[in-house]
Every structure is written in structure tokens, then in C-alpha cells.
Amino acid sequence: MSGAGGLQEALSALLTVAGRAGVAEDTARSEALTLAAALAESAPGASADWAKAVPGGTTQDFFDAAVRGRRWRGAPTAVLTELIASGSSEKSAYAEALAEVASAACTLGEPTMRVVGNASVAAAAQLQAAGARPLQVGHGPVQVPPTADAPAAAAGTTEAAAAAPKAAEDVAPVKTVEELLAELDELTGLARVKQEVHRQVAVLRVEKLRTEAGLKSPTITRHLVFVGNPGTGKTTVARLVSGIYKALGLLSKGQLVEVDRSELVAGYLGQTATKTAEVVASAAGGVLFIDEAYSLTAGDLGADQYGREAVDTLVKEMEDRRDDLVVIVAGYPEPMEVFIAANPGLASRFRTTIEFENYSDDELTDILTGLAEAADYELVPEAVDEFHEILAVTPRDSSFGNGRFARNILEAAIGRQAWRLRDVKAPTRDELRQIIAADLTDEAEQPEQPAPADEPQQGKPAQGKAAQGEAGQAEAAEAGPGTPAEGLQTEQSERGEQA
């Protein structure tokens, strides 16, 4: 596949699966194009190729889609999440089709090494969430050759979805509360978060049993506030909470709908109420997760009429749908306190706050190796040591990306590995899988020429800073302007911060 043609082929295959799964064609197409834009965002000329696959599409449409789709670079898309929550027999096939869209994104414009890494991690996230086999996505000569146990697994082949094992015809069983809590407990770190979720589950379970027994029971607010720095697992835990509430019988569907300000606020006063109500309606029966919720009330001098209209509508919808809707709002600790206090309706409905702490070095290493394994890569011991050195020189202020930092490091490393193997005509399976120490630094990107005699070679700490710089620049480019203290820094969705 190449360029817009490759993306069109991938879209066609995905729409076929979407039709079988009962997903609206427009919804599936929009989601796939959004994912492709998010992955190819840094590739020169990608916007033009992408627009060819979108009737009437423009360069601005491409970058708008890229911003919306960044959350899916490390986690399942909204449609796939709903298919998984409902136990659809097409969830694996849909994940395979999304992985092919990720592969097609590598052909848009002139892909950078970052695009290759983005696509590999995004494809793995879709497949892993649906319980499908890993699929490595690449570009150029770096492809995974077919094997007996994974036929046609090479990146860029539309046959991959057809060759993958089909999901069972019967609808997959819904996970129990115990199974979902076990998944929560398996996440790296988050000890205090796990304890609080277990406590919430115990309280809600007893409340439900008392109601069923005809006993009086106080009304317990199920809505939650998640506070913490970026990349600390907030969206991952929200997804598990939605499943737990469904298993407890508190929600009818259990899907997670993740949005931010841009998806709640319209361009004109009066339209925001309708837009917000429609978003809430799409989350009915499940969990509405509002990232950077404080941005709704953080306008100039705190007088953002559009955001306040969204908040007023949200409060009304929460009341009208209180029996079958849970809302989780997330963001930095201090701005979230201001947000909750901005509206009496919010303060009365959000009584439980769960704090997400930064990860330790060992926990970040576990996250990095887990992400690599999910994408069918292996970090050799020297690469793990190099990552420790990078962490040692990385500031841990409020802008530190935590799990997202680890993901950015891996995405860059995958791109460097592709560059390192560019002249290897027939790389071995181990060469295709292994990430070495040099892949975590700028060393693998340098032209193959000796350094001047009077210029000493860079030492390890400098290489670590270089790797940190690339990931940090990518993070800053996505984060947007502002500072947490001002309550305006754009916190990206934590999708993908846990494998």
C-alpha cells in the first residue's frame, strides 16, 4: 500500500468489519481517519495524502483530526472499546483492521521514524485490548516476515486481518468484578488508587445488596474525580471502573466515552448545550470521562461563557441520567479543585477524589518493557540500563509525562531501530525484535562517518539527554501552552500509559 490508496484500502477493509459489527459507517470511517492523522502527524506531506482519502478534506481537517486522535496512539479507539465492552465477536477483527489503518498511516507523505514508532505502538494497543495477536507495523525494508504461527504478519499487508485467528462466533462472556479487579491489581504501581477503587467497589456492592433486600440505603455518589500529573494511568483506571460498574449492575452498557473541552463546547453560545447533551447521551449506560475538565471553567478571568454553558448542561444531564451514567473528571490537582468549586452542582456530585501519584524509576521501566512486549519488541539489558540513565537526568516536575514519557521513548526507539536496519536486506527475527541501547539515543540516527580527531565522543549522560530531549519535545508539542499553576496547561489523554 502507498499514500492515499493504501489508506483507502485499509478503510475499505475496516468498514467491512464495522458493517458486520453493527457500527455506523460514518462513525467507523471518521475514527479510522482520525487515528491515521494522529499517527502520521509529523510526516512531511502527510496532510495532502490524507486529504485525498477524505472527500473535501483540508490540511486544517488533518491537524484537527490528529489532535483528537492522539489519545488512541497507545490505547483502543472509542468504537473498539465499545465492542470490547459489549463482548462483540467482531472485536478482534476490528482491532486487526485498525492495525492495518496504522500500517497505512506509515505510507502517508514522507514518514519519519517517529511515525513508524507511533504506528507500531498504536497497532499493538488495539490488538492487545481486543485479545488479538501482536502485529508489528513498519515502513520500508523493516517488516516482520510471515511465520508458521503468524502468517502474513508483515506490516503493510491487508491480508493480515484475514489471516488472523477469527474471534469465537459466540459473544464473549462479560468479565466479572473479580476479574476486572484482578486486572487493576496487575497494573504497575498505583497502590493508593487500587486501594481506593477496591473500597469504592465494596461500598457500592453493599449498597446494592441493601437495596435488593428492601433496606434503607443512603444515596452514594458514583461520580469520581481523578487528579494527577499526565501519564499516571487515569484513563486506564477509568476504563476498568466502567467495566466494574457494569459488572456490579450499576450501568447497563459499561462503555467508556472519553472527551475534552473541544468535544463539549461549540463555536456559538446556545449550541454548546446541544453538543454537550449529545455527548452525554452517547455515554448513557456507561462512563463519561472528561479529560482536562478544568478547561471548561478556566477562561479569561474565569468568565468562559461557553465552558460554563457546558458545565451547566452537564450537571443537568447528570441529574436526569443519574441511574445509568457515571462521570469521571480528570486533570491536575490544583486546577481541578478550582473546577469543582466553580459550580455548586459539581461540588455536590463529585465527592470522591482519587489521587494518581508519579511512577518510580522501577515502575517506569516495567511500563516501558511491557509496552515493548505488547508491540512484539524486546529491550536488551543494555537498553534497560540506558533507560535508567535517561531517567536519572530527566526532571520530574508537573509536566513530566510518566507513562507517556516511557511510550514516547519506545516510539522513538522503534523509529531508530528501523533506521539502524535500513541497509539490512534480510534482518533476522531477533534483529527485528530487539531494541538496543543505541536505539534509545540519537546515536543510531547519525551519519556513518568518523568523528574528527579533536572532537571527543559523546558520553552516556549526554546521549541520555538527547533521547530525553526528543521525547520531551514531542510531549511539549502535544501538550500546548500554559502551565499547571495557571490551570491552562493542556494535559493529553492518558490512553496508552499502561500496556
Side-chain angles (χ1 to χ4, degrees):
M1 293 188 294
S2 63
L7 181 57
Q8 288 283 25
E9 288 182 29
L11 280 172
S12 178
L14 179 132
L15 293 178
T16 298
V17 178
R20 296 201 305 264
V23 177
E25 180 176 317
D26 289 346
T27 300
R29 181 187 299 277
S30 176
E31 179 176 90
L33 289 170
T34 299
L35 175 63
L39 299 179
E41 183 177 10
S42 63
S47 59
D49 280 349
W50 181 88
K52 293 176 183 176
V54 184
T58 65
T59 297
Q60 187 60 51
D61 291 336
F62 170 80
F63 287 108
D64 289 344
V67 171
R68 294 194 305 272
R70 286 173 186 158
R71 66 186 62 169
W72 298 331
R73 280 175 31 201
T77 66
V79 170
L80 180 57
T81 297
E82 188 163 354
L83 292 178
I84 293 170
S86 65
S88 171
S89 61
E90 296 294 337
K91 63 181 182 181
S92 292
Y94 194 82
E96 291 282 355
L98 286 172
E100 288 300 328
V101 171
S103 180
C106 289
T107 69
L108 297 176
E110 301 175 11
T112 65
M113 290 187 290
R114 172 69 67 176
V115 173
V116 176
N118 288 348
S120 293
V121 175
Q126 312 309 314
L127 295 165
Q128 185 188 40
R133 61 171 177 76
L135 173 69
Q136 185 167 357
V137 179
H139 180 67
V142 184
Q143 298 179 346
V144 178
T147 63
D149 59 340
T157 59
T158 55
E159 294 80 11
K166 294 296 182 182
E169 292 299 324
D170 297 331
V171 174
V174 177
K175 292 181 179 179
T176 65
V177 173
E178 290 71 22
E179 290 172 333
L180 291 164
L181 287 174
E183 286 187 27
L184 173 69
D185 292 338
E186 289 173 1
L187 295 178
T188 299
L190 305 177
R192 292 175 59 182
V193 173
K194 294 171 184 176
Q195 181 180 8
E196 180 60 30
V197 172
H198 275 274
R199 190 187 72 82
Q200 285 287 313
V201 170
V203 170
L204 292 170
R205 176 185 278 148
V206 170
E207 180 195 29
K208 184 172 183 292
L209 291 173
R210 285 179 58 85
T211 300
E212 292 174 349
L215 298 173
K216 293 181 179 179
S217 182
T219 300
I220 298 176
T221 301
R222 297 173 290 174
H223 310 297
L224 301 170
V225 180
F226 286 179
V227 298
N229 289 332
T232 46
K234 295 189 287 293
T235 306
T236 302
V237 174
R239 192 177 302 114
L240 288 172
V241 167
S242 67
I244 290 171
Y245 282 8
K246 167 67 166 60
L248 285 172
L250 302 174
L251 295 173
S252 60
K253 298 179 181 178
Q255 81 278 18
L256 178 75
V257 176
E258 182 186 355
V259 298
D260 57 22
R261 175 189 168 94
S262 67
E263 290 156 287
L264 295 174
V265 175
Y268 302 94
L269 284 176
Q271 294 180 340
T272 292
T274 300
K275 188 174 183 180
T276 300
E278 290 174 350
V279 169
V280 175
S282 71
V287 171
L288 176 63
F289 182 86
I290 305 177
D291 197 19
E292 308 165 22
Y294 50 77
S295 65
L296 293 172
T297 56
D300 295 338
L301 303 179
D304 185 340
Q305 296 183 30
Y306 299 91
R308 292 184 181 278
E309 183 181 2
V311 170
D312 291 342
T313 304
L314 176 64
V315 170
K316 179 180 182 301
E317 290 291 329
M318 290 171 68
E319 178 62 25
D320 293 345
R321 302 176 185 272
R322 61 184 178 277
D323 294 329
D324 201 21
L325 174 71
V326 169
V327 177
I328 299 177
V329 291
Y332 290 102
E334 293 80 6
M336 287 304 297
E337 291 182 9
V338 176
F339 167 71
I340 297 300
N343 185 298
L346 294 177
S348 65
R349 288 168 176 79
F350 291 101
R351 297 176 181 174
T352 301
T353 298
I354 300 180
E355 182 179 357
F356 288 68
E357 297 179 337
N358 289 335
Y359 291 112
S360 67
D361 285 6
D362 288 341
E363 290 168 348
L364 287 169
T365 301
D366 288 343
I367 291 172
L368 178 67
T369 55
L371 288 170
E373 290 172 3
D376 205 14
Y377 285 92
E378 174 192 1
L379 271 74
V380 301
E382 292 78 9
V384 174
D385 292 341
E386 179 66 31
F387 183 59
H388 287 159
E389 294 192 21
I390 293 172
L391 290 174
V393 298
T394 301
R396 303 297 180 86
D397 55 21
S398 60
S399 64
F400 178 64
N402 284 284
R404 193 183 313 140
F405 176 85
R407 190 192 69 208
N408 284 342
I409 289 288
L410 177 63
E411 290 172 351
I414 291 172
R416 293 193 187 98
Q417 184 224 41
W419 179 252
R420 176 167 55 82
L421 298 177
R422 65 192 181 282
D423 294 327
V424 181
K425 294 183 179 180
T428 66
R429 186 177 180 83
D430 283 345
E431 287 176 323
L432 288 168
R433 293 189 69 250
Q434 289 181 346
I435 299 294
I436 65 175
D439 295 331
L440 271 67
T441 73
D442 287 335
E443 178 181 321
E445 300 180 25
Q446 300 303 319
E448 297 179 357
Q449 59 184 16
D454 58 347
E455 182 178 331
Q457 295 291 333
Q458 280 188 312
K460 285 286 184 180
Q463 292 172 357
K465 291 179 181 177
Q468 170 201 338
E470 178 173 341
Q473 290 169 5
E475 189 75 17
E478 296 174 6
T483 64
E486 296 170 339
L488 296 176
Q489 176 165 342
T490 304
E491 175 191 352
Q492 295 301 313
S493 158
E494 278 78 26
R495 296 261 189 168
E497 58 219 5
Q498 295 267 12

